[in-house]
Amino acid sequence: MLCKAPNLRTAVLGCRIQPTILTPCAYHTTAPSSFRPTPDPSRTITRRRVPLPKHNVVFPATSSSIRCASSVSSAQGSSPSSAQSTSSNKKPTEILDWNTFFRLRRRRRFYQLGSSITTSAMGFVSGAALVSSANMDALVSQLPLDPFISLGLVTFTCAGAGWLVGPILGTGVFNLQNRRFRTQMDEKEKEFYRRVKKFRVDPSASSMANPVPDYYGEKIASVAGYRQWLKDQRAFNKKRQTYL
């Protein structure tokens, strides 16, 4: 063999000859300087674009975006308001049902009654003032009654004239307050009286035991009242046939 394996003596001599074994180890704590290789201009770097999945990313709103959004919302909000203002100018007509018609009809009767009481009192006061202040000898001398009775009749005549004028004023006030229903009320009034005239009984067949039930339909105040009025008319006819 060309080379022989070293024995123990040769290994010991080799250890004595190497000076690095006996020198202490020194540790360097300083960080190595950063080293960046200089780019090679002749080498072209190609980059691959990797498609990333899309996510709903919400960015914080800046002042400019807030101003733009506010201007857009104000522009959008102005159009409904303008449309609402135009629609408010053209209000749809309210439909008058029968229950509302009967309720308004009853209210009109209260207006007429209240106005009649007021105008009657005013006529009585005016007649009394006229009799007490004016010279009524020419008028009293033409009546073959006591002068006090004649003056009383003149006073009550003024009160009666006020009572007759009252329903006209009450109806005018009612029509002024409910002018949106005036046309519909006139139509339903005609329809109502047409039905009353058609279904009411013949008053010539009435008697003490079988009186006419509300011939003009003045007590009807609702649809249920109208149905009850029809039942009363049928009951009247049934009683008349029974008695005959």
Side-chain angles (χ1 to χ4, degrees):
M1 296 180 66
L2 297 177
C3 59
K4 187 185 299 183
N7 51 12
L8 182 59
R9 185 177 180 181
T10 307
V12 171
L13 291 176
C15 291
R16 288 181 180 179
I17 293 171
Q18 294 178 358
T20 58
I21 297 175
L22 301 177
T23 58
C25 296
Y27 297 94
H28 299 279
T29 58
T30 60
S33 61
S34 61
F35 174 75
R36 292 182 179 179
T38 58
D40 190 2
S42 62
R43 183 180 179 183
T44 59
I45 301 174
T46 58
R47 297 180 179 179
R48 283 180 59 186
R49 292 186 178 182
V50 179
L52 298 176
K54 294 182 180 181
H55 298 281
N56 294 327
V57 182
V58 179
F59 295 96
T62 59
S63 60
S64 61
S65 63
I66 292 174
R67 284 197 299 270
C68 294
S70 63
S71 61
V72 171
S73 62
S74 63
Q76 292 178 354
S78 61
S79 57
S81 63
S82 61
Q84 186 176 3
S85 63
T86 55
S87 63
S88 62
N89 295 331
K90 298 180 180 179
K91 293 183 179 179
T93 57
E94 300 181 12
I95 299 176
L96 182 66
D97 56 348
W98 282 105
N99 285 322
T100 307
F101 164 73
F102 287 120
R103 187 167 59 251
L104 291 177
R105 187 167 173 262
R106 187 178 181 183
R107 187 184 302 175
R108 183 180 60 187
R109 190 175 302 170
F110 287 149
Y111 272 71
Q112 293 173 353
L113 181 60
S115 179
S116 296
I117 294 173
T118 304
T119 54
S120 178
M122 292 175 63
F124 182 82
V125 173
S126 300
L130 179 63
V131 167
S132 62
S133 61
N135 189 7
M136 305 293 294
D137 294 337
L139 180 62
V140 171
S141 61
Q142 294 179 3
L143 298 175
L145 296 172
D146 189 83
F148 291 100
I149 296 176
S150 300
L151 294 177
L153 289 175
V154 171
T155 304
F156 281 102
T157 301
C158 294
W163 178 270
L164 296 177
V165 173
I168 300 174
L169 297 178
T171 305
V173 174
F174 175 81
N175 291 335
L176 183 62
Q177 291 184 353
N178 301 275
R179 53 184 176 272
R180 65 182 184 276
F181 296 131
R182 185 174 179 179
T183 305
Q184 300 184 46
M185 280 200 68
D186 293 340
E187 295 176 357
K188 287 191 178 296
E189 195 85 27
K190 295 177 181 178
E191 178 66 20
F192 172 70
Y193 282 117
R194 187 185 65 81
R195 289 174 179 268
V196 169
K197 185 178 179 181
K198 180 180 179 181
F199 294 107
R200 66 188 177 185
V201 297
D202 185 10
S204 61
S206 63
S207 62
M208 295 296 294
N210 190 21
V212 178
D214 193 9
Y215 184 73
Y216 294 100
E218 296 178 351
K219 298 180 181 179
I220 300 175
S222 62
V223 176
Y226 173 73
R227 293 172 180 171
Q228 184 63 38
W229 180 82
L230 292 177
K231 292 180 181 179
D232 295 339
Q233 305 303 312
R234 289 194 293 267
F236 177 87
N237 292 328
K238 188 175 181 180
K239 286 182 180 179
R240 185 186 65 176
Q241 294 175 1
T242 302
Y243 288 137
L244 290 177

